[in-house]
Amino acid sequence: MMRESETGTETARPVRLEGRWAGWQAAILAAAIALAVGGAASLFALPQDYAAFQPLVGGALVLGAGLAGYLALGPSRAMIGVFLVFMVATHMYKSFAVLPFGGVEWHPRELLLFLLLAHAAGKVVRGRADLRPDMMHYFFFLYVFFFVVIAARGFLLYPEISDVIAECRYPVFLASYFAFVACTHGMADLRYYVHLIFALTIAIALASFAFFGYTLVAGVINVQNWLGEYVPRIVGPWLLQSVRPNGHMFFEVSVVVLAGMVFCPDLSRARRAAYALLILLFLAAIVIMMMRTAYIALFLSLAVLVVLHLPREAQAWAGVMGVGAAAALAAFFGLHLHETIDQWIPGLEVSLRGRFVEIGGALRMFEREPLLGAGMGSKFTGMGFVAQTTLVSVAQADYQTVHNVWMYYLFKGGMVGMILVFLGLGGIALRARAIIEALPSRKDRFFMKGLLAACGGQLIASLAMPRLTYPIGGVFLAMIAAAFVVAAREPPAAEDQPRQNQAEKHP
């Protein structure tokens, strides 16, 4: 982008937060915003006769307004850094406070998303946004368009508009992609955000170990709240605490990315040894989560990473086998063979029975509306399985969403919706693969392969977990896609330009 200065036309340079305290500034700003929002929420929760608290609430509102103004008009590193820290460190769908306004309960993450989009709009108006086209934009838009279609269909089909609106509140976070690509101006910015999330993930892992150690002494607890899920598990003869804090999804992502970097020959042995130690740290944090879907997601991500490092021919064969496995899985559920397994194995675990109920109901909804799907707001009734220790209860329940994200795509959008999803997500993966091959730096190629593998593993593991349909799932996809766009914009280093020119002359 270009702008006019007093001396002529010059390239607009983004204002950046430099220095080693930049990451701490983003974290402190995120905490301050959380306090301000909590204080504002308490304004609506406190009785009117609690006049003594009103000055504190007013101070929180003033603080929040000042922070919001700074983030909206200030440097992009501050705004995006705060948004990423807040999204990673908070719960996937629960909030510590809500702000009732206009008959709607607004969550802090939604207000921060609106602030991020306002910041991006301001950069566009002032000519400081990077608006260069990229094929990734079109593929990402196709994926976003899927949600636009099913939302429009929901508004047309169902009188309960509140159900449709409630379901719309998660995919709106995909809009963060357009702010990321417009306000990130190169690999320096990208590395800043990566380091910020990585440092936060390490802090969360260390806090997990501290809490796990505490429960070994004080005893386990059973609670699920806006800080995460902490449920006791029986492991052999021991009753242990499962620790699933906010942001635990990035334990898996960090392991995959670091595993790729460990084998990069351009890194020193000391750095690779440090990465190996960090892998052990995150693996231990994943173990105490006691979450099978996390284990599966990690395994699949590592498998994708291995495939990305294979020769082209082997990658093609792996892709064919993956498509074949997906077709076999679709046929397995399409022929309702899962119901037979459910009957043959009376001791099948409650959570797995619940997954089969969801899949069966989603398939029935798809059979009713095979072309365009049932749309947002649609529901089906099935048997809900609930287990409290060893006691199992069963009752009818309404399902508006399901754990299997791909079944969600199918019954909400039908065949047309699935085509949009496949074109969008498949195009994102192919474009990312092309960007990796064009990167001049081998370290960047290894790093980006790790990011793509982590994303691919999450997509495959979405057969059993709904992360991608939560707000953090939308932000995660937006982060990954935007990272590849930013990497594609980076010009080759001076020492790599002769090699690139020679390759262009002799393809």
Side-chain angles (χ1 to χ4, degrees):
M1 299 296 294
M2 307 295 289
R3 63 179 173 86
E4 294 293 329
S5 66
E6 295 179 358
T7 58
T9 303
E10 63 179 9
T11 303
R13 297 184 179 272
V15 180
R16 296 174 177 172
L17 289 173
E18 301 293 351
R20 58 183 176 178
W21 299 109
W24 287 106
Q25 183 174 10
I28 293 171
L29 285 172
I33 288 177
L35 290 174
V37 173
S42 65
L43 176 65
F44 300 95
L46 289 174
Q48 294 299 319
D49 55 349
Y50 279 58
F53 293 96
Q54 292 182 2
L56 296 177
V57 175
L61 290 174
V62 172
L63 173 63
L67 289 171
Y70 171 74
L71 292 176
L73 303 174
S76 294
R77 283 195 179 186
M79 179 68 254
I80 296 178
V82 167
F83 180 77
L84 292 176
V85 167
F86 191 87
M87 292 302 299
V88 173
T90 54
H91 197 274
M92 289 188 285
Y93 54 90
K94 297 176 183 177
S95 295
F96 63 89
V98 293
L99 294 172
F101 180 76
V104 178
E105 290 186 342
W106 298 97
H107 295 260
R109 58 175 176 265
E110 295 167 345
L111 301 179
L112 203 55
L113 174 66
F114 298 151
L115 194 61
L116 173 67
L117 298 178
H119 172 86
K123 294 294 183 182
V124 172
V125 170
R126 288 181 287 172
R128 295 182 178 178
D130 195 327
L131 303 179
R132 282 175 284 178
D134 192 284
M135 284 300 298
M136 186 74 78
H137 301 342
Y138 304 107
F139 292 128
F140 199 88
F141 174 76
L142 284 175
Y143 182 67
V144 171
F145 189 60
F146 162 80
F147 293 98
V148 174
V149 170
I150 64 174
R153 187 160 172 78
F155 282 117
L156 292 174
L157 292 179
Y158 304 110
E160 293 293 335
I161 302 298
S162 59
D163 290 339
V164 182
I165 294 176
E167 202 169 333
C168 286
R169 299 181 74 155
Y170 288 176
V172 296
F173 283 84
L174 292 167
S176 60
Y177 167 79
F178 303 102
F180 293 158
V181 297
C183 300
T184 305
H185 298 273
M187 291 298 288
D189 283 347
L190 178 59
R191 292 188 182 97
Y192 167 77
Y193 300 130
V194 169
H195 293 160
L196 186 63
I197 294 175
F198 187 61
L200 178 61
T201 306
I202 293 176
I204 294 172
L206 294 175
S208 298
F209 297 138
F211 179 71
F212 183 76
Y214 167 78
T215 59
L216 290 177
V217 177
V220 299
I221 64 172
N222 188 351
V223 63
Q224 300 183 52
N225 54 28
W226 57 272
L227 293 173
E229 288 77 34
Y230 308 93
V231 181
R233 300 286 181 184
I234 298 175
V235 181
W238 301 286
L239 181 65
L240 298 177
Q241 182 73 57
S242 67
V243 183
R244 302 177 187 177
N246 298 338
H248 62 74
M249 170 184 180
F250 290 89
F251 295 164
E252 306 150 34
V253 175
S254 297
V255 169
V256 177
V257 174
L258 291 174
M261 297 302 291
V262 163
F263 295 99
C264 179
D266 290 351
L267 296 178
S268 66
R269 291 183 178 179
R271 181 173 290 272
R272 284 187 282 176
Y275 287 165
L277 291 176
L278 287 172
I279 289 175
L280 294 177
L281 172 78
F282 290 123
L283 286 176
I286 293 173
V287 168
I288 64 174
M289 285 167 55
M290 304 181 195
M291 184 178 181
R292 289 167 305 183
T293 49
Y295 304 154
I296 294 172
L298 178 59
F299 172 79
L300 293 172
S301 299
L302 292 174
V304 175
L305 181 63
V306 172
V307 171
L308 289 176
H309 284 279
L310 293 176
R312 275 182 172 274
E313 295 78 8
Q315 291 184 25
W317 279 109
V320 170
M321 291 193 310
V323 172
L329 191 64
F332 173 80
F333 288 108
L335 296 173
H336 301 281
L337 295 179
H338 61 283
E339 297 176 359
T340 304
I341 293 180
D342 192 5
Q343 295 173 0
W344 284 355
I345 309 178
L348 193 64
E349 189 177 4
V350 169
S351 61
L352 295 179
R353 287 181 179 272
R355 301 293 197 275
F356 286 158
V357 168
E358 292 177 357
I359 291 171
L363 286 173
R364 288 192 296 272
M365 292 293 290
F366 167 69
E367 290 167 358
R368 295 177 189 173
E369 299 286 348
L371 184 61
L372 296 176
M376 282 189 180
S378 56
K379 301 177 182 179
F380 61 86
T381 301
M383 300 305 295
F385 291 85
V386 178
Q388 183 69 29
T389 62
T390 58
L391 181 64
V392 177
S393 61
V394 182
Q396 282 195 337
D398 290 332
Y399 293 88
Q400 188 170 347
T401 60
V402 294
H403 285 79
N404 188 325
V405 173
W406 297 95
M407 284 295 170
Y408 174 85
Y409 296 149
L410 186 64
F411 97 81
K412 294 288 184 176
M415 293 303 300
V416 172
M418 286 299 287
I419 291 173
L420 289 173
V421 169
F422 280 132
L423 289 176
L425 294 179
I428 289 172
L430 292 176
R431 174 58 181 154
R433 188 71 186 90
I435 291 172
I436 290 173
E437 294 178 349
L439 290 176
S441 169
R442 183 156 54 178
K443 288 190 294 185
D444 288 342
R445 290 198 297 271
F446 272 74
F447 174 75
M448 288 300 181
K449 283 182 180 179
L451 283 185
L452 182 56
C455 183
Q458 294 294 325
L459 288 174
I460 301 171
S462 294
L463 289 166
M465 59 183 182
R467 283 178 180 171
L468 292 185
T469 53
Y470 289 146
I472 186 58
V475 173
F476 175 71
L477 284 176
M479 288 165 46
I480 298 296
F484 283 99
V485 173
V486 173
R489 294 170 177 169
E490 190 76 1
E495 61 270 17
D496 294 317
Q497 287 180 355
R499 184 183 64 180
Q500 186 182 37
N501 295 335
Q502 188 71 15
E504 290 175 353
K505 294 178 182 178
H506 304 284

